[in-house]
Amino acid sequence: MTETPGTSPDVVTDSIRLLAERGWDATTVDQLAQAAGISRATFFRKYGSKEDIVFADHAANLERLERLLDRPGADPAVALREGVLLVFRHHVDHRERTLARHALLRQVPQLRDRELITSHRYERVFRRWLRTALPDSPARDTLATALSAAAVAVHNAYLRGWLRAPGTDPSAELAAQTERLARTLVAGFDDAAPPAGAPAAAPPRPAVVVTVLDPGAGTEEIVASVREALA
């Protein structure tokens, strides 16, 4: 299935729009196949169930994201920015499909769980890549988890804003904010880590509470008693 911005609506877009207009429960796979001009068996083979076709384009987009990130030596902040922008542009460049899907999800609560699963798949791709792209350090896994979750959260916030005002294009702002976020988090973890070659911090000393039962005892007598007890 070719997904080129600006071409005529495809089967995925038409099916999502049909489901939104006629209603989820009222629309059958047979009707979707008929509208697409294909057999029921072909529809199932190419697109799966009704739920599958609503998110069918994301499988290909996840593959594009993985190819984009698979660049040895790339600056993690820059690559993360480009990855988030790729995902966002996929929604914006397929405007009618994204708006139809948003309308459908508002009608069908059960699809929102699938939307969350799809969002987590993007997060896993970012996290898996960051675990190899970030500099090796004890905090790398933690930083990869934090960065991937934050990047997807920022993307989703901008997407929600665009859905409310689809005539706008916040791509440039999203890209800048994502890179700034990445550099801030990486720098924060670097600042928290001890410099390379620095001696390990000494373990904290145990707290000792001394109770003086003789109110007339002097300091030297107290210290001598403590030393004697420790000896």
Side-chain angles (χ1 to χ4, degrees), residues 13 66 68 90 105 113 139 159 161 182 226-227:
T13 303
E66 289 180 326
L68 173 71
H90 175 75
L105 263 61
D113 290 339
L159 179 60
V226 171
R227 286 176 177 168

Side-chain angles (χ1 to χ4, degrees), residues 107-175:
Q107 299 173 24
V108 187
Q110 72 193 64
L111 291 177
R112 296 172 195 164
D113 290 339
R114 180 67 176 264
E115 183 185 31
L116 287 174
I117 292 171
T118 302
S119 184
H120 288 320
R121 290 177 67 190
Y122 283 104
E123 186 176 329
R124 285 197 299 271
V125 170
F126 282 124
R127 184 171 62 247
R128 185 168 57 247
W129 164 73
L130 283 164
R131 282 174 173 166
T132 61
L134 291 170
D136 189 13
S137 74
R140 181 164 64 178
D141 280 355
T142 302
L143 179 56
T145 300
L147 260 178
S148 57
V152 171
V154 170
H155 167 275
N156 290 346
Y158 272 84
L159 179 60
R160 287 191 295 270
W162 178 80
L163 286 168
R164 291 192 294 269
T168 63
D169 186 358
S171 297
E173 182 182 350
L174 170 61

Side-chain angles (χ1 to χ4, degrees), residues 8-171:
S8 58
D10 57 16
V11 173
V12 174
T13 303
D14 287 345
S15 297
I16 295 173
R17 185 183 291 115
L18 192 64
L19 287 165
E21 291 174 353
R22 292 188 180 180
W24 177 259
D25 293 328
T27 309
T28 66
V29 170
D30 288 335
Q31 291 171 329
L32 292 175
Q34 183 178 5
I38 56 179
S39 68
R40 187 173 189 271
T42 300
F43 184 94
F44 273 116
R45 186 174 64 254
K46 293 185 67 175
Y47 306 108
S49 64
K50 287 196 300 182
E51 186 172 305
D52 289 333
I53 199 169
V54 174
F55 301 95
D57 53 331
H58 285 286
N61 202 43
L62 282 159
E63 291 179 2
R64 284 193 289 270
L65 177 60
E66 289 180 326
R67 288 195 299 269
L68 173 71
L69 296 174
D70 188 20
R71 293 178 298 172
D75 182 332
V78 172
L80 188 68
R81 176 198 71 196
E82 294 177 357
V84 168
L85 192 58
L86 179 147
V87 179
F88 185 76
R89 291 304 314 177
H90 175 75
H91 293 288
V92 175
D93 291 341
H94 297 86
R95 182 178 186 274
E96 296 306 316
R97 180 190 304 168
T98 302
L99 294 176
R101 180 160 44 212
H102 179 60
L104 179 62
L105 263 61
R106 294 178 65 183
Q107 299 173 24
V108 187
Q110 72 193 64
L111 291 177
R112 296 172 195 164
D113 290 339
R114 180 67 176 264
E115 183 185 31
L116 287 174
I117 292 171
T118 302
S119 184
H120 288 320
R121 290 177 67 190
Y122 283 104
E123 186 176 329
R124 285 197 299 271
V125 170
F126 282 124
R127 184 171 62 247
R128 185 168 57 247
W129 164 73
L130 283 164
R131 282 174 173 166
T132 61
L134 291 170
D136 189 13
S137 74
R140 181 164 64 178
D141 280 355
T142 302
L143 179 56
T145 300
L147 260 178
S148 57
V152 171
V154 170
H155 167 275
N156 290 346
Y158 272 84
L159 179 60
R160 287 191 295 270
W162 178 80
L163 286 168
R164 291 192 294 269
T168 63
D169 186 358
S171 297

